[in-house]
Amino acid sequence: MTADASSSGRLSQGGLDLRLDRNGAFAREISLDGEELFRGIGFVVRDVNWGTADLPAEARLQRQDGRVTATAGGALDPAAADLAWSVTWTITDRMVEARARASSASGFDTNRTGFVVLHSLGAARGRPVAVTHADGRVEDTRFPDLVSPHQPFFDIAAMEYETAAGHRLRLVFEGEVFETEDQRNWTDASYKTYCRPLARPYPYRIGPSSAVEQVVRLEILSRATTAGQAQDGGPAVEKTAPFPVLGTSLPPGPIAVAQADAIRALGLGFTAIEIDPSEPAWLEEARAKVSAVPGPLRIDIRGGTAIGHHPILEALASALIDRPAIGVSLWDADDAAVAAAGEILPGTVIGAGTGAFFTELNRMTHWPAADYLAWTSNPTVHGSDDDTIGETTEPLEEILASARAKLPVRRLQIGPMTLGLRYNPNATSPEGRRRSAAPDPRQGQVIAAAWLAGTVAGFLDPDVEALTFFEPSGPKGLIADDGAWTPAAHLLSRLSRCAGRPASALRWTGHPRLRGLLIEMVDHDALCIAHLRNERIALALPEGAWRSAEVLMPNGFVDRPVEGFDIGPFAVCWLLRPK
């Protein structure tokens, strides 16, 4: 029997439930009696720039005597690499075991080839855990509450803990030493236990005499006396704050006429102009953008170049005179650069931080005394499937709580936020670091708008001043090359008009990927609901007389009935309640 992608490869054994990818490399949404224990357990291959290799295969299933066995295997494209791999799964009502092997005849360079385990936040957050080390020593510790900047657990041979619902689990690792990182740093809703340790050199080579052979085994030691499934409920206000200013971002490179036209058409709160000083024509291109773009600006300057921030700001100063700006961001800058910026651009709000992920900001030991701090984000760092995009809206409040607990600057501006990497700060070569991700085909689909709305809801906070999304036009943009508005453009333009208005972020019990924004306008309340899971659900609306409702479609918002309200997969709805 073969796992069928149309049925999501769903497997159940006595209350233990999971979804096996078609290729058999990854088991996802592993739950027990309704509680999700793991986002997934799977075999991954990462190249020398941390890119995830595609593993085409077809899983083969056999069921016998209360046991499911799944086998899969294949090889990477021989034109690109020489690596053969196989994974065998054994699943019962008390165990999930995965065995993997990978080998190369000619040699394969990799940063990681092996198993990863994604511990679900709801089951593991803050829970005590006993970590068995390779020498047999047992360490009693906890999964972190706030986002841990560095690995909380090292040298792992086994882990034992009780989940939030009361299930007792044991994980056993063989064939490699594992460690754990907090994936909330990259907006993933999990802790990841992976191999091999990052302290070891990478890339490393898999050759004929160094085949990878690993085992990960999940053992159910005891089950909770009550089911872990949260009950459905109505919405609750999670946080209130003034609605942030929303904008879009121009990437490094020359400006196209379509980009300037799109910015004028969208009418957003600001445009961020990202500058890469390592590009030969950066100054000419930046001046052209400042001249072509209407409305308020933000200037984002990448760090890490030999030029330094001071001469860049001096060269830009004349172009920025008399231009309204919400800030100038000096990514990877020190105190001296921030102080110099204040002298060169008096009266301008100066920001610092990173043009990369929150983890880079979280790992700093000193933060410059800037007016605001910044970081950027994208939802496809560790996976590119729809479900991964959806889960990245779950831990945003925890990221903000972690920032608030340690950062000396309370004012925050987040973005640009894009579906794919704008550039790769963790690549192992200069070319790899500068390379951006290819356009994501979902840029023009409703899922991009749903992720945008869920992200705005998660980052709604008194400390968050501005959020930046996508590019104005093109294959990574809000408006397509032919001038058609994407669903994200329709939504962002509408939300942008709410800047400064009182707003509340809503959550629905039992639906961690159902996010709401309740916004108080002058003569009505607006409710934006985003659903980021592949299912249709009925849901209760906040109290009041909701008079009209719309659902976001590929070509924009269309009317729908308010009665019997439900919402589909990766969808956005907009409702109005007159005052």
Side-chain angles (χ1 to χ4, degrees):
M1 178 178 178
T2 300
D4 182 3
S6 64
S7 63
S8 302
R10 183 67 63 182
L11 302 173
S12 297
Q13 288 289 102
L16 183 64
D17 185 78
L18 60 86
R19 175 170 58 87
L20 189 66
D21 281 2
R22 176 188 285 272
N23 69 352
F26 226 103
R28 304 183 188 274
E29 299 173 3
I30 302 172
S31 64
L32 182 63
D33 298 336
E35 183 189 36
E36 185 181 272
L37 310 178
F38 300 94
R39 292 265 71 232
I41 299 174
F43 178 80
V44 300
V45 176
R46 307 293 296 272
D47 64 24
V48 296
N49 289 317
W50 294 103
T52 302
D54 186 31
L55 302 177
E58 190 83 8
R60 299 177 299 279
L61 301 184
Q62 289 185 333
R63 290 182 172 87
Q64 186 176 11
D65 299 330
R67 177 185 300 259
V68 176
T69 302
T71 57
L76 300 190
D77 181 356
D82 166 28
L83 187 76
W85 64 276
S86 64
V87 180
T88 299
W89 298 87
T90 303
I91 304 161
T92 71
D93 62 347
R94 301 192 67 84
M95 180 193 74
V96 177
E97 181 185 85
R99 293 179 173 269
R101 190 178 195 280
S103 61
S104 175
S106 60
F108 176 72
D109 292 326
T110 179
N111 285 355
R112 176 176 300 147
T113 293
F115 280 119
V116 298
V117 175
L118 308 179
H119 309 255
S120 295
L121 289 181
R125 183 193 297 108
R127 303 294 301 172
V129 56
V131 176
T132 301
H133 298 291
D135 61 2
R137 180 173 50 91
V138 178
E139 176 188 5
D140 291 321
T141 181
R142 284 180 178 271
F143 285 97
D145 278 313
L146 296 178
V147 182
S148 176
H150 300 287
Q151 296 95 323
F153 316 136
F154 294 93
D155 184 27
I156 303 171
M159 306 173 76
E160 185 173 325
Y161 61 97
E162 186 177 282
T163 69
H167 301 301
R168 191 78 189 174
L169 312 179
R170 180 174 174 81
L171 285 163
V172 178
F173 304 92
E174 299 175 8
E176 182 57 276
V177 175
F178 285 70
E179 62 189 27
T180 300
E181 69 184 12
D182 193 334
Q183 288 213 125
R184 293 175 295 178
N185 279 298
W186 299 271
T187 69
D188 297 72
S190 61
Y191 308 97
K192 179 170 69 178
T193 299
Y194 60 89
C195 66
R196 62 187 204 165
L198 291 177
R200 295 185 183 179
Y202 63 85
Y204 61 96
R205 174 161 284 231
I206 298 173
S209 61
S210 57
V212 171
E213 294 185 346
Q214 294 178 10
V215 178
V216 172
R217 184 166 55 255
L218 164 64
E219 301 169 355
I220 311 298
L221 302 181
S222 64
R223 298 168 92 126
T225 56
T226 58
Q229 181 67 47
Q231 298 299 309
D232 291 351
V237 173
E238 188 169 56
K239 192 181 298 186
T240 60
F243 201 82
V245 180
L246 303 181
T248 188
S249 175
L250 282 168
I255 186 171
V257 173
Q259 290 174 320
D261 290 344
I263 290 168
R264 280 188 286 271
L266 289 163
L268 304 179
F270 67 96
T271 302
I273 297 175
E274 185 174 348
I275 295 172
D276 182 357
S278 67
E279 296 285 350
W282 73 266
L283 181 56
E284 174 186 325
E285 292 167 354
R287 286 174 172 165
K289 290 172 182 173
V290 171
S291 298
V293 171
L297 302 176
R298 189 180 72 205
I299 306 298
D300 296 336
I301 303 173
R302 293 185 187 179
T305 64
I307 301 175
H309 288 97
H310 195 281
I312 296 168
L313 291 168
E314 288 187 324
L316 283 172
S318 61
L320 297 177
I321 293 175
D322 299 327
R323 283 305 306 268
I326 70 165
V328 173
S329 307
L330 309 181
W331 291 336
D332 306 313
D334 56 16
D335 286 302
V338 171
E343 295 176 1
I344 296 168
L345 301 171
T348 301
V349 176
I350 305 299
T354 176
F357 318 111
F358 176 72
T359 183
E360 305 301 326
L361 193 72
N362 202 19
R363 288 175 179 172
M364 288 183 182
T365 56
H366 175 77
W367 297 270
D371 297 309
Y372 66 88
L373 291 175
W375 70 89
T376 72
S377 183
N378 77 83
T380 57
V381 175
H382 296 119
S384 58
D385 57 289
D386 293 353
D387 187 62
T388 295
I389 289 177
E391 80 167 71
T392 62
T393 62
E394 294 186 43
L396 304 183
E397 292 86 356
E398 294 166 40
I399 290 174
L400 290 178
S402 302
R404 187 177 295 108
K406 69 189 305 183
L407 300 183
V409 176
R410 295 293 295 268
R411 296 168 63 182
L412 304 173
Q413 295 192 19
I414 307 172
M417 290 177 277
T418 51
L419 291 184
L421 280 170
R422 296 165 16 268
Y423 67 98
N424 187 352
N426 302 124
T428 55
S429 68
E431 297 78 13
R433 283 190 289 273
R434 292 168 61 130
R435 188 179 305 124
S436 65
D440 193 304
R442 292 164 294 193
Q443 183 69 43
Q445 299 175 11
V446 175
I447 185 176
W451 173 74
L452 185 156
T455 299
V456 173
F459 280 144
L460 183 74
D461 190 273
D463 294 338
V464 177
E465 301 176 332
L467 300 173
T468 315
F469 289 96
F470 303 134
E471 298 176 11
S473 66
K476 299 181 181 180
L478 293 159
I479 296 181
D481 287 332
D482 62 1
W485 284 38
T486 65
H490 286 282
L491 178 64
L492 189 61
S493 180
R494 185 176 286 195
L495 286 173
S496 184
R497 302 172 207 150
C498 304
R501 301 299 306 174
S504 299
L506 306 183
R507 288 273 203 177
W508 279 259
T509 302
H511 298 287
R513 296 189 205 161
L514 187 63
R515 310 302 302 262
L517 285 164
L518 182 61
I519 308 161
E520 299 179 28
M521 305 302 285
V522 174
D523 58 357
H524 67 272
D525 294 328
L527 175 60
C528 177
I529 303 174
H531 183 220
L532 287 126
R533 196 176 180 91
N534 189 24
E535 61 183 356
R536 177 172 290 276
I537 58 172
L539 72 156
L541 297 175
E543 293 183 358
W546 295 96
R547 298 298 187 190
S548 64
E550 298 171 284
V551 61
L552 185 58
M553 302 297 286
N555 295 321
F557 284 95
V558 298
D559 293 338
R560 59 147 296 168
V562 177
E563 295 76 17
F565 198 83
D566 65 358
I567 190 167
F570 301 101
V572 176
C573 293
W574 189 276
L575 299 96
L576 297 181
R577 179 176 62 187
K579 289 188 175 179

